[in-house]
Amino acid sequence: MKPFLTLLPALLATAVTSAIGGTPTRIPDAALTTAAQLREQALHDNTAWNFTEGLTTEVGARLAGSANDAKAREWVIAKFKALGFEKVWTEPVTYPKWVRRSEHAEIVAPFAQPLAVLALGHSPGTPAGGISSDVVGFDSFDALKAADSAMVRGKIVYVGARMHAHRDGHDYGIGSTVRTQGPSLASSKGASAFLLRSAGTDSSRLPHTGVTRYEDGVAPIPAAALASTDADQLERVLKRGQPVTIKLALDCGIEGEYTGANVIAELRGSKKPNEYFVMGGHLDSWDPGTGAIDDASGVGIAVGAAHVIAALPQRPARSIRVVAFANEEAGLYGGKEFAASHAKDIKSAVLGSESDAGADRIWKITASVKPEARGAVAQIAEVLKPLGVEYDASAPGNGGSDLSALHAVGMAGLSLHQDATRYFDWHHTANDTLDKIDPEQLRQNVAVYAVAAYLAAQAEGDFGSAPGAFANDGRGD
Amino acid sequence: MKPFLTLLPALLATAVTSAIGGTPTRIPDAALTTAAQLREQALHDNTAWNFTEGLTTEVGARLAGSANDAKAREWVIAKFKALGFEKVWTEPVTYPKWVRRSEHAEIVAPFAQPLAVLALGHSPGTPAGGISSDVVGFDSFDALKAADSAMVRGKIVYVGARMHAHRDGHDYGIGSTVRTQGPSLASSKGASAFLLRSAGTDSSRLPHTGVTRYEDGVAPIPAAALASTDADQLERVLKRGQPVTIKLALDCGIEGEYTGANVIAELRGSKKPNEYFVMGGHLDSWDPGTGAIDDASGVGIAVGAAHVIAALPQRPARSIRVVAFANEEAGLYGGKEFAASHAKDIKSAVLGSESDAGADRIWKITASVKPEARGAVAQIAEVLKPLGVEYDASAPGNGGSDLSALHAVGMAGLSLHQDATRYFDWHHTANDTLDKIDPEQLRQNVAVYAVAAYLAAQAEGDFGSAPGAFANDGRGD
């Protein structure tokens, strides 16, 4: 099936272009030559590393709405200004402020012992002193779905779905479904609290936090993730067949609203300054680590790419915007706000790509563009080939996390896929720290982003951004 | 130099035997045949796994002197009895009781952030509320040694020595020197507290605890280990050249004495029941993990080996003792007590080997025996060859951690070296959990121990155990 899918869109693109008869978007030869030079310069540029090292060392964890979130904003504004962008500004983003104070879990019976646990974002706390309940375990989201409420009522539900490491990280679908939808589902069946095996691929005794969502009309119940080691342990205890009692004490919850901001920097285009290529990452992070791979490096890669482009003798035709998005983690708040405020001039957002899967080597590019721009994407891909990047013309590309919101209202999307094999070992854990970033792979990312940004900014013709242009293209990633 | 060293003792053994004219210790052919069968049976026996799984699941962490320490003792006594040993008994061991309640560290300035830290065993606590001091950093124990007291006085000393992974784990010498001797050295120069980069080879945000020792006449200062990620972070902050202030709050300390016990089980020898081969591991563990690789598996391997030997139609000539030692972690208390109480009949302890380096494949055997017994060790090694074990006749073998104390008073020692490449990633951390044990490698360990124990118990002649026999052989491992 895969070869068929791979060939089809390429054929379609040609066919449709001829059928529609629109002018193909093209990238001039001179721009391709410059892009190849940029690529090599980026492979020797440490701006992304210095940015990522600085943010994670001088600020550290950046939970949305925390004091460090504000500190990070000031840090990034100062850094953007120092790097020589023509314009640096903020756009406010308001969201519920979730606070974590402490969490504690233990098996009370039959074998008393502590469990390594982290509350999920947006989880309410337990009553002070915690709750103690018997546990009922399921090995998948579907098993919980199929369970009779009588089995679940009054109990702590545990779901032990497992993820395995893959280059495209597709098992995150399994883990994130349990995390985001499990607590609501368990609550709808009368559970008192919810625990999951961390959505991760490691075997460290460090739980993976992450946001959950409570559906309207369902009582929010306390929800937390066990480290995989402790999920193993709980499963071994459950397998012995005796009743298992857990005590869970979470001190956390939503406390009003907070207004943060997206921080935006622009290299001003020399010919069409009102049109822009947009790239970036999110500035917030979960709190157990220092948010190095998620997502200081994402902002750092965009900053590094802009930096090598800024060093050219002249600015590209279009503007280049770097966005450090606010509160991606608790539900794409920054991305949604950006989409809401920029939807009215969506044609100006010529193409966009956000980096939010760590900093390991980019191995694939996919895009959602108009058929007439497929050739231009192939031209970009050609310049990326020496970096080991393959072009999958069969798949869409929504531009990545926050930018998927702008894509949803019509921005053409470019997805630059990082190798995610190691990413879910550390994602949302205390292990998200700078040492997990390989400077050489980080520079490869910068080279890819620099080439893509520059060529999109120099392209003759657009990529199809228009209101609702990609409304039927929701499956991109 | 290595080939020379490897050959020399073999030659020496022959030469000395001839010179002394003692009767060589020999293992009868029938025993070698039985041992080869035992080896294959052990590779299919899950007793060691079940023991290790049970102890870590049903008891968990076993800090010496804690409630769980007593629980573990009861658990092991019951398990030994159920496994059909002829005799199960305890021998009391008294030691200072160290208690950990909590620990907290943070960089206060210039960049406020928490640090992942664990107090070292035997460390006193800080005054309530913690201490805040400027930090002075060193990159090795020797650098601290060379430092002028004026640089150190009143400060928190940090030593950032690094370990790398090796099959023989030799870099632990670097880390354990800093941990055991660093606090005393820093205190002697007037430091207010001591931090080290964890003695480990991983990059997880989980610190490695372990005991420290305060020399007589030196004020015990609070001492703790930073996770390698946080050691990296502190070093990056220090490198910026501004004064760095850390707040350290430890609630821990020695609180009187505790009397635990070594737990001993015996398969009664059929011909020389008063002579015995001794093997085992230590029952206590550090508290952050569940003590799977350190050292539930060590006891489990000995139990598994005894189990396959017990399944033979008849008991071997000599007895086989399995010992679960008390409080190895805080200073070989169980081993020293065992040595003190069994020194008077040291000749009965024919040969001994303790497993205390995890459960990865055994790759090498070394021994400290009388010259006339070198041939018998070579016979044992021959049966071990199909398991991928090489015999290094050039190096001594002190029998391993606790048994090194019995070796020091004259027991012949056999060291069965586990591959320690992964061991120091998890050693003394929360990551010391059951999932780190590979059942297949564990069974290989059982096969090695079963062969060695059986053949030592069947050997005609002894291995040289006698009061003070190996007094000049202190460098064994």
Side-chain angles (χ1 to χ4, degrees):
Chain A
M1 210 168 110
K2 195 64 195 290
F4 173 73
L5 275 174
T6 308
L7 285 171
L8 186 65
L11 294 169
L12 263 179
T14 316
V16 172
T17 308
S18 319
I20 298 178
T23 311
T25 300
R26 297 291 304 168
I27 297 171
D29 288 349
L32 296 172
T33 305
T34 302
Q37 290 161 358
L38 269 180
R39 186 185 66 208
E40 303 311 309
Q41 277 151 13
L43 292 177
H44 297 90
D45 191 279
N46 285 322
T47 306
W49 175 265
N50 294 338
F51 181 96
T52 307
E53 193 267 0
L55 180 59
T56 57
T57 303
E58 297 176 9
V59 180
R62 305 171 299 283
L63 184 67
S66 68
N68 260 24
D69 185 23
K71 209 185 282 185
R73 230 159 25 243
E74 294 313 309
W75 191 95
V76 167
I77 290 168
K79 193 62 69 177
F80 281 175
K81 286 184 178 165
L83 282 163
F85 287 93
E86 275 84 31
K87 201 177 153 194
V88 177
W89 72 101
T90 62
E91 296 178 355
V93 181
T94 298
Y95 49 81
K97 178 180 166 180
W98 183 77
V99 175
R100 181 200 309 276
R101 275 176 294 262
S102 69
E103 48 251 305
H104 173 85
E106 61 184 285
I107 299 179
V108 175
F111 312 119
Q113 55 194 289
L115 293 170
V117 77
L118 279 175
L120 299 185
H122 284 189
S123 170
T126 59
I131 57 171
S132 290
S133 296
D134 280 3
V135 178
V136 54
F138 301 94
D139 60 8
S140 69
F141 184 74
D142 286 345
L144 170 59
K145 217 169 185 171
D148 195 279
S149 295
M151 270 183 73
V152 167
R153 197 165 299 128
K155 296 207 170 121
I156 295 177
V157 162
Y158 163 74
V159 179
R162 283 164 194 267
M163 286 171 55
H164 297 283
H166 301 285
R167 188 165 63 162
D168 68 359
H170 66 260
D171 268 10
Y172 187 52
I174 298 170
S176 64
T177 298
V178 175
R179 196 191 67 220
T180 56
Q181 301 176 40
S184 253
L185 179 59
S187 177
S188 72
K189 292 174 188 272
S192 63
F194 183 85
L195 293 172
L196 74 150
R197 172 183 285 273
S198 280
T201 50
D202 61 306
S203 57
S204 261
R205 199 171 190 180
L206 291 170
H208 297 237
T209 187
V211 78
T212 191
R213 290 184 207 118
Y214 297 97
E215 279 170 35
D216 291 343
V218 153
I221 56 173
L226 294 177
S228 69
T229 48
D230 295 59
D232 289 348
Q233 184 82 324
L234 176 58
E235 290 176 20
R236 281 190 293 267
V237 175
L238 285 167
K239 207 172 277 173
R240 280 159 162 78
Q242 300 168 254
V244 177
T245 309
I246 279 183
K247 181 178 164 186
L248 180 70
L250 307 182
D251 183 3
C252 58
I254 291 172
E255 297 186 352
E257 283 192 332
Y258 178 87
T259 298
N262 294 325
V263 184
I264 307 163
E266 188 174 87
L267 294 182
R268 190 99 183 129
S270 55
K271 291 178 187 151
K272 300 172 179 176
N274 293 331
E275 297 183 10
Y276 60 92
F277 176 85
V278 56
M279 60 183 166
H282 59 85
L283 186 55
D284 69 306
S285 77
W286 286 108
D287 44 338
T290 60
I293 60 164
D294 189 16
D295 188 26
S297 59
V299 185
I301 288 162
V303 166
H307 180 256
V308 292
I309 293 171
L312 291 171
Q314 78 174 72
R315 292 282 183 264
R318 295 186 174 100
S319 294
I320 287 173
R321 287 193 186 171
V322 172
V323 187
F325 288 98
N327 197 359
E328 185 272 347
E329 292 296 2
L332 302 181
Y333 287 97
K336 287 173 182 166
E337 183 58 45
F338 193 84
S341 54
H342 296 278
K344 59 184 180 299
D345 55 349
I346 194 69
K347 287 174 85 80
S348 299
V350 171
L351 189 65
S353 190
E354 181 173 2
S355 168
D356 188 19
D360 277 356
R361 196 166 278 280
I362 292 171
W363 63 284
K364 187 172 80 166
I365 106 170
T366 63
S368 286
V369 298
K370 67 179 184 182
E372 296 89 336
R374 277 278 161 209
V377 174
Q379 288 182 292
I380 295 173
E382 199 58 32
V383 183
L384 297 178
K385 250 190 195 159
L387 298 170
V389 181
E390 61 187 64
Y391 175 31
D392 181 355
S394 74
N398 68 10
S401 48
D402 290 287
L403 285 175
S404 68
L406 199 60
H407 178 64
V409 297
M411 179 194 72
L414 182 68
S415 290
L416 302 168
H417 302 258
Q418 277 118 347
D419 185 328
T421 309
R422 309 191 302 165
Y423 187 63
F424 293 105
D425 284 354
W426 307 316
H427 178 251
H428 295 188
T429 75
N431 258 338
D432 181 356
T433 48
L434 186 67
D435 54 293
K436 310 309 184 300
I437 297 177
D438 170 1
E440 190 180 327
Q441 295 199 61
L442 180 70
R443 288 190 293 265
Q444 188 259 13
N445 278 259
V446 175
V448 171
Y449 270 84
V451 165
Y454 178 74
L455 293 180
Q458 292 289 63
E460 292 174 355
D462 64 82
F463 292 84
S465 294
F470 304 98
N472 299 320
D473 191 32
R475 70 196 172 95
D477 61 351
Chain B
M1 210 171 113
K2 194 67 195 290
F4 173 73
L5 274 176
T6 308
L7 286 171
L8 186 63
L11 295 170
L12 263 182
T14 317
V16 172
T17 308
S18 320
I20 298 177
T23 311
T25 300
R26 295 294 302 171
I27 298 170
D29 288 348
L32 296 172
T33 305
T34 303
Q37 290 160 358
L38 270 180
R39 185 185 66 209
E40 301 311 308
Q41 278 151 13
L43 292 176
H44 296 90
D45 191 279
N46 284 323
T47 306
W49 175 265
N50 294 338
F51 181 96
T52 308
E53 193 267 1
L55 181 58
T56 57
T57 303
E58 298 176 8
V59 180
R62 305 170 300 283
L63 184 67
S66 68
N68 260 24
D69 184 24
K71 208 185 281 183
R73 229 158 27 241
E74 294 313 309
W75 191 96
V76 166
I77 290 168
K79 193 61 71 177
F80 280 175
K81 287 183 177 165
L83 282 163
F85 288 94
E86 275 85 28
K87 200 177 155 195
V88 177
W89 72 100
T90 61
E91 296 179 353
V93 180
T94 298
Y95 49 83
K97 179 180 167 181
W98 182 77
V99 175
R100 182 199 309 278
R101 276 176 295 263
S102 69
E103 46 251 306
H104 173 84
E106 61 184 285
I107 298 178
V108 175
F111 312 120
Q113 55 193 288
L115 293 170
V117 77
L118 278 175
L120 300 186
H122 284 188
S123 170
T126 59
I131 56 171
S132 291
S133 297
D134 279 3
V135 178
V136 54
F138 300 94
D139 60 8
S140 70
F141 184 74
D142 285 345
L144 170 59
K145 215 168 186 173
D148 195 281
S149 295
M151 270 184 73
V152 168
R153 197 164 300 127
K155 297 209 171 119
I156 295 178
V157 162
Y158 163 76
V159 178
R162 284 163 193 266
M163 284 171 56
H164 297 283
H166 301 286
R167 188 165 63 162
D168 68 359
H170 66 261
D171 268 10
Y172 187 51
I174 298 171
S176 65
T177 298
V178 175
R179 196 192 68 220
T180 56
Q181 301 176 41
S184 254
L185 178 59
S187 177
S188 73
K189 291 174 188 272
S192 63
F194 183 84
L195 293 172
L196 74 150
R197 171 183 286 273
S198 280
T201 51
D202 61 306
S203 58
S204 261
R205 200 172 188 180
L206 292 170
H208 297 237
T209 186
V211 77
T212 191
R213 289 185 209 118
Y214 297 97
E215 280 168 35
D216 291 342
V218 153
I221 54 173
L226 294 178
S228 70
T229 48
D230 295 59
D232 289 348
Q233 185 81 325
L234 177 57
E235 289 176 19
R236 281 190 292 268
V237 175
L238 284 167
K239 208 173 277 174
R240 280 158 163 79
Q242 300 169 255
V244 177
T245 309
I246 280 185
K247 180 180 165 187
L248 179 70
L250 306 182
D251 183 3
C252 59
I254 290 173
E255 297 186 352
E257 282 193 333
Y258 178 87
T259 298
N262 294 325
V263 185
I264 306 163
E266 186 174 88
L267 294 182
R268 190 101 181 128
S270 55
K271 291 178 187 148
K272 300 174 179 172
N274 294 330
E275 295 184 9
Y276 60 93
F277 176 85
V278 56
M279 60 183 165
H282 60 85
L283 186 55
D284 68 306
S285 76
W286 285 108
D287 44 338
T290 61
I293 60 164
D294 188 15
D295 186 26
S297 59
V299 185
I301 288 162
V303 166
H307 180 255
V308 293
I309 293 170
L312 290 172
Q314 78 175 72
R315 292 283 185 262
R318 295 188 174 98
S319 294
I320 287 173
R321 287 193 186 172
V322 172
V323 186
F325 287 99
N327 197 0
E328 185 272 347
E329 292 296 4
L332 301 182
Y333 288 97
K336 287 173 182 166
E337 182 59 46
F338 194 84
S341 54
H342 296 278
K344 59 185 177 301
D345 55 350
I346 194 69
K347 285 175 85 84
S348 299
V350 170
L351 189 66
S353 189
E354 181 173 2
S355 169
D356 188 20
D360 276 356
R361 195 167 280 280
I362 291 171
W363 64 282
K364 187 172 81 166
I365 105 170
T366 62
S368 286
V369 298
K370 67 179 184 182
E372 296 89 336
R374 277 277 160 209
V377 174
Q379 286 181 294
I380 295 173
E382 199 59 32
V383 183
L384 297 178
K385 251 192 194 157
L387 297 170
V389 181
E390 61 187 62
Y391 175 31
D392 182 355
S394 75
N398 67 10
S401 48
D402 289 288
L403 285 176
S404 67
L406 200 58
H407 177 64
V409 296
M411 179 194 73
L414 182 68
S415 290
L416 302 168
H417 301 260
Q418 277 117 348
D419 184 327
T421 309
R422 309 191 302 165
Y423 187 63
F424 293 104
D425 284 354
W426 308 316
H427 178 253
H428 296 188
T429 75
N431 258 338
D432 181 355
T433 49
L434 186 66
D435 54 291
K436 308 310 184 300
I437 296 177
D438 170 1
E440 192 180 324
Q441 295 199 62
L442 180 69
R443 287 190 295 266
Q444 187 259 12
N445 278 259
V446 175
V448 171
Y449 270 85
V451 165
Y454 178 75
L455 293 180
Q458 293 288 65
E460 292 173 354
D462 64 83
F463 292 84
S465 294
F470 303 98
N472 300 319
D473 191 34
R475 69 197 173 95
D477 61 353

